Amino acid sequence: MSEARQRPRPAASALPRRLTPSTLRGRLSLVALVTATLLMLVLTVAFNTVAQHRLQHQADDELRTRAAAVATTVDTSGTTVRVLETSHDDLLDANVWIYAGRRLLEAPPAAGALTHVADTLAGHGGRRCVTVDVRGPLRLCSQSVPGDKSGATVVTALNLSPYRSSADTLLLGSLVLDAVMLAITYALTRLAVGRALRPVRTMTDQATQWSAVASEERFGSMRHPDELARLGTSLDALLDRIRTLLRHERQLTGELSHELRTPLSRIIAELDWWQAHPRTAEQTDATHQVIADAAESMRTICDTLLEDARNGTLTAPGTVEVLPTLRHLAEALDVPGHLKLTTDGAPLVAGVPPALLERIISPLLANACRYARTSVAVRAHSAPDGVRIDVIDDGPGVPPSFAGQLFEPGRRADPGDGHAGAGLGLPLARRLARSAGGEVTNDPGHSPGARFVVSLPAG
């Protein structure tokens, strides 16, 4: 039973949603209509209240005027109050009661129950008015005869039906006028809102046609109202961010391809050699170890690059001892024996995670080993702003004409030099170093060979 009672609730709550317009134009028009309706209701009530008070005031004025006219026919100069006979008495005496104190001197024919109301008004004396409903709405007012000391009073009555009819006509007319005004307000609001939102529809159509990457069109280059101009500026900034993200995605794809090529080549080479030549159990274990090391290197590369792409910058805390990490990296890269690692003073600790230090130094060390003629040297030492690592080789060095393009992704000084590479290692090393608050630079004054300087914060 409880479930059956609760089932109709969603249908009832869904009713207002169906009545609410789904478009911004419809909602604004509905708000304007509701606001205008409330305003018209207040004005209509106020107008008709004032009109009714005004009509009642006119009725009272007419009653007092008739009472003053009748009072001129009352003689109070003698010891008794007398009613003088005048022409047109029938017209003047219609709905009129004349009293001397509480004694009724004259009353209209067939007054009936109204005489009792007139007696009550005359008994109170002075100016008093009351509305009764006897054979229709009637208004009765009493007024003392001026200059009389005997308490002569005139009571007059007036049928309020014409005044009520006028009030009803005013109410009906105001309601009809309200309906017309509300209809015009709704139509004009929809028209005005539609014209105001026309640039938004134009911007929407343009956004569906433009390509976020290839198109150079922007909303800010068009003339719009101030509010839409700010919206266009925000959309332009969003388009620029999308282009940047897509460019970073392509760059990440290239970097992953470049960085994974070396360990993947080692795995393929070991598998080909293992399948082509019979090996002992010891050689098989060595092959498995090489494959495992290469797979671990690939995992580290993927984790580092994906974390950098996800966060924008690598802000994960961590510290690493520099010299052991450099030695492990040299062994993992299978660097020839002419590599020389040196450090000065106490053990150096950099304020970066171990994997990040490896990914920064790895491209620099690989390039040095690739182009060196006889030797490669890696020197780590402390610096005023942290830790400094120099990667030095005695190869041909960086051509001066290429120094300005050295850290641009995909650029190589001599693509036909016989060495593999996509020109992404150095840009990746600099980007990772900068994400940790460091820097990678080239020393153009070093000769012969090349010197790359890695600056990192101290741990």
Side-chain angles (χ1 to χ4, degrees), residues 7 16 37 45 138 178 361 379 457:
R7 287 177 182 175
T37 300
V45 171
L138 296 174
D178 290 346
I361 302 299
R379 179 172 176 262

Side-chain angles (χ1 to χ4, degrees), residues 18-52:
R18 291 196 296 267
L19 295 178
T20 302
S22 58
T23 62
L24 179 60
R25 180 184 182 183
R27 292 182 180 181
L28 292 177
S29 301
L30 180 60
V31 170
L33 180 63
V34 171
T35 304
T37 300
L38 295 177
L39 180 61
M40 291 291 184
L41 179 61
V42 172
L43 293 178
T44 300
V45 171
F47 171 76
N48 283 274
T49 300
V50 172
Q52 289 179 2

Side-chain angles (χ1 to χ4, degrees), residues 101-114:
R102 290 182 174 273
R103 182 169 59 90
L104 179 63
L105 299 179
E106 186 174 309
L114 290 179

Side-chain angles (χ1 to χ4, degrees), residues 13 41 101 130 169 195 231 248 254 262 351 407 415 435 453:
S13 61
L41 179 61
V130 66
T169 302
R195 291 179 63 88
L231 175 62
H248 286 172
T262 300
F407 292 97
S435 69
V453 180

Side-chain angles (χ1 to χ4, degrees), residues 44-65:
T44 300
V45 171
F47 171 76
N48 283 274
T49 300
V50 172
Q52 289 179 2
H53 282 287
R54 180 61 181 169
L55 290 174
Q56 182 173 322
H57 182 70
Q58 290 179 356
D60 293 346
D61 288 343
E62 183 176 349
L63 288 171
R64 292 190 181 97
T65 301

Side-chain angles (χ1 to χ4, degrees), residues 386-428:
V387 176
R388 176 172 169 172
I389 303 173
D390 299 338
V391 180
I392 307 170
D393 67 77
D394 61 352
V398 179
S401 59
F402 186 71
Q405 308 173 25
L406 182 60
F407 292 97
E408 294 182 7
R411 303 301 299 270
R412 295 183 57 192
D414 184 8
D417 57 4
H419 296 289
L424 297 174
L426 294 180
L428 173 63

Side-chain angles (χ1 to χ4, degrees), residues 70-303:
V70 172
T72 60
T73 66
V74 178
D75 183 11
T76 59
S77 59
T79 56
T80 60
V81 178
R82 294 183 309 112
V83 178
L84 303 177
E85 296 295 331
T86 61
S87 58
H88 308 294
D89 281 346
D90 295 338
L91 180 61
L92 187 62
D93 294 339
N95 294 329
V96 173
W97 291 261
I98 302 175
Y99 291 86
R102 290 182 174 273
R103 182 169 59 90
L104 179 63
L105 299 179
E106 186 174 309
L114 290 179
T115 300
H116 177 69
V117 179
D119 292 343
T120 303
L121 289 174
H124 288 88
R127 287 190 177 186
R128 292 179 179 274
C129 293
V130 66
T131 301
V132 295
D133 193 355
V134 179
R135 299 189 304 273
L138 296 174
R139 181 77 169 173
L140 285 84
C141 288
S142 64
Q143 182 173 332
S144 300
V145 176
D148 177 48
K149 298 181 180 180
S150 60
T153 304
V154 177
V155 178
T156 56
L158 180 66
N159 188 356
L160 295 179
S161 296
Y163 296 91
R164 296 285 179 88
S165 177
S166 299
D168 294 340
T169 302
L170 287 175
L171 177 61
L172 179 60
S174 60
L175 292 178
V176 172
L177 180 61
D178 290 346
V180 174
M181 292 299 297
L182 290 177
I184 295 175
T185 300
Y186 183 75
L188 292 179
T189 302
R190 285 188 62 88
L191 179 61
V193 173
R195 291 179 63 88
L197 294 179
R198 187 176 301 170
V200 177
R201 293 195 297 269
T202 303
M203 295 173 66
T204 302
D205 296 338
Q206 291 171 344
T208 57
Q209 297 173 2
W210 292 348
S211 171
V213 180
S215 177
E216 295 297 332
E217 297 289 343
R218 288 294 181 267
F219 295 109
S221 60
M222 304 178 183
R223 297 184 60 184
H224 294 298
D226 292 341
E227 295 81 358
L228 295 183
R230 295 178 59 186
L231 175 62
T233 303
S234 301
L235 293 177
D236 291 342
L238 182 61
L239 288 175
D240 293 337
R241 290 184 61 186
I242 293 175
R243 296 184 66 185
T244 301
L245 290 176
L246 293 176
R247 185 169 60 251
H248 286 172
E249 180 181 356
R250 290 196 300 267
Q251 182 179 352
L252 175 63
T253 303
E255 291 172 350
L256 282 172
S257 175
H258 174 264
E259 295 298 325
L260 295 178
R261 183 182 294 113
T262 300
L264 185 61
S265 299
R266 293 179 60 190
I267 293 175
I268 295 175
E270 289 292 337
L271 289 176
D272 290 343
W273 180 260
W274 183 75
Q275 292 177 351
H277 301 81
R279 292 197 172 189
T280 63
E282 183 178 356
Q283 292 175 332
T284 300
D285 292 340
T287 299
H288 290 170
Q289 185 62 39
V290 171
I291 294 175
D293 292 342
E296 179 64 21
S297 177
M298 294 174 66
R299 185 187 68 82
T300 302
I301 292 171
C302 290
D303 290 345

